[in-house]
């Protein structure tokens, strides 16, 4: 069993969906968890209660990941609460889908700033304490869209592809200090977003997925917990696809 006892984690975008599943999974494996949320205070409170029910400490911080100063403050609050950050999960992300010919510049920029720039800001903010500790696990939530592309998601696919490059560059920079950097690339996951898809789109997705079903958020969280653990100490610069075989390389 994965044991994260004594570890302190920070998850961006941790109040709902995959992020919340990651927060709860890390806590369930023994870690204290700080997480950021954008604006849903009720979801953040209920996530905090869920973590504390597992006997772990929780810290919810409202933060805009597109603001470098907010990323610094988020890391500072987590360090103040826990004394260290062993695990960083860059999960915060948004979608603003449209075809390239119709996509506004602001729509392009908003997705890149949240999904890619936000991960850079958080990684940069956590780097110094991890380097001092000579230990760290950085996990970026990318997507199969960043590997194969997705029509109508040029902004999202580009941001997620950029995260893969960020992951590998980070891994090379910090490996000598005992810090690993990896990415998890989910396929289609059962969330509020996918539940609202039209039936024909769902059927097309299932037909293209060899395992013939959507993932659950818990299955994505399990992959994150593995990469955060000492069992994955010799894995770095890797992109772990959790997609039911949708994209095979």
């Amino acid at each position: 069993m994965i044991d994260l006892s004594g570890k302190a984690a920070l998850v961006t975008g941790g109040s709902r969906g995959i992020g919340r599943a990651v927060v709860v999974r890390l806590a369930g494996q023994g870690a204290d968890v700080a997480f950021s949320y954008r604006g849903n205070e009720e979801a953040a409170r209920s996530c905090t209660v869920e973590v504390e029910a597992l006997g772990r400490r929780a810290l919810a911080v409202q933060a805009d990941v597109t603001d470098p100063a907010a990323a610094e403050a988020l890391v500072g609050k987590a360090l103040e609460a826990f004394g260290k950050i062993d695990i960083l999960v860059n999960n915060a992300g948004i979608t603003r889908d449209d075809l390239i010919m119709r996509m506004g510049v602001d729509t392009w920029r908003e997705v890149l700033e949240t999904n890619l720039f936000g991960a850079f800001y958080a990684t940069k903010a956590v780097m110094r304490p991890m380097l001092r500790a000579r230990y760290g696990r950085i996990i970026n939530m990318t997507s199969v869209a960043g590997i194969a592309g997705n029509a109508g998601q040029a902004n999202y696919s580009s941001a997620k592809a950029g995260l893969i490059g960020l992951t590998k560059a980070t891994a090379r920079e910090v490996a000598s200090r005992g810090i690993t950097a990896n990415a998890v690339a989910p396929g289609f996951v059962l969330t509020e977003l996918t539940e609202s898809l039209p039936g024909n789109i769902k059927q097309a997705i299932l037909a293209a997925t060899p395992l013939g079903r959507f993932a659950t958020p818990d299955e994505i969280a399990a992959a994150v917990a593995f990469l955060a653990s000492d069992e994955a100490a010799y894995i770095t610069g890797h992109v772990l696809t959790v997609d039911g075989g949708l994209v095979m390389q």
Side-chain angles (χ1 to χ4, degrees):
M1 178 179 173
I2 291 170
D3 184 9
L4 299 177
S5 299
K7 304 297 186 187
L10 172 60
V11 180
T12 66
S15 64
R16 296 186 296 168
I18 292 172
R20 182 178 182 135
V22 169
V23 169
V24 173
R25 172 59 69 114
L26 296 179
Q29 308 289 168
D32 295 322
V33 189
F35 64 92
S36 71
Y37 66 99
R38 196 175 201 180
N40 191 326
E41 292 186 12
E42 183 179 348
R45 278 196 300 269
S46 66
C47 186
T48 298
V49 169
E50 195 170 354
V51 169
E52 291 174 345
L54 293 167
R56 306 315 311 162
R57 291 182 291 170
L59 174 68
V61 180
Q62 186 171 14
D64 178 0
V65 298
T66 68
D67 179 1
E72 288 278 358
L74 173 63
V75 168
K77 288 175 182 176
L79 288 170
E80 185 178 348
F82 303 145
K84 61 177 183 172
I85 299 174
D86 301 296
I87 301 158
L88 170 66
V89 182
N90 285 309
N91 169 78
I94 60 171
T95 55
R96 298 287 186 269
D97 299 350
D98 211 341
L99 296 174
I100 291 171
M101 65 181 294
R102 292 202 301 251
M103 185 177 290
V105 172
D106 289 342
T107 301
W108 166 269
R109 182 180 292 115
E110 185 180 7
V111 171
L112 268 290
E113 287 184 347
T114 301
N115 298 19
L116 179 57
F117 288 29
F120 168 74
Y121 298 146
T123 299
K124 182 176 174 64
V126 85
M127 193 62 69
R128 199 174 300 279
M130 281 190 176
L131 289 170
R132 279 199 299 264
R134 302 188 72 88
Y135 181 90
R137 299 282 184 266
I138 298 170
I139 300 150
N140 295 321
M141 195 65 65
T142 181
S143 167
V144 293
I147 298 170
N150 204 19
Q153 289 193 317
N155 47 7
Y156 184 79
S157 298
S158 297
K160 295 301 189 179
L163 272 176
I164 292 172
L166 176 62
T167 299
K168 294 182 177 184
T170 304
R172 291 187 182 277
E173 286 190 18
V174 299
S176 65
R177 294 296 187 95
I179 302 166
T180 65
N182 293 289
V184 173
F188 289 93
V189 185
L190 282 172
T191 62
E192 294 173 11
L193 181 66
T194 55
E195 282 176 0
S196 64
L197 289 172
N200 63 320
I201 300 295
K202 288 183 180 178
Q203 289 305 313
I205 291 168
L206 294 175
T209 304
L211 286 183
R213 64 176 179 84
F214 287 73
T216 67
D218 286 341
E219 288 174 316
I220 308 305
V224 173
F226 167 66
L227 291 173
S229 74
D230 288 340
E231 275 81 354
Y234 202 60
I235 301 172
T236 197
H238 183 69
V239 181
L240 176 57
T241 54
V242 188
D243 65 353
L246 181 64
V247 177
M248 296 190 190
Q249 293 179 297

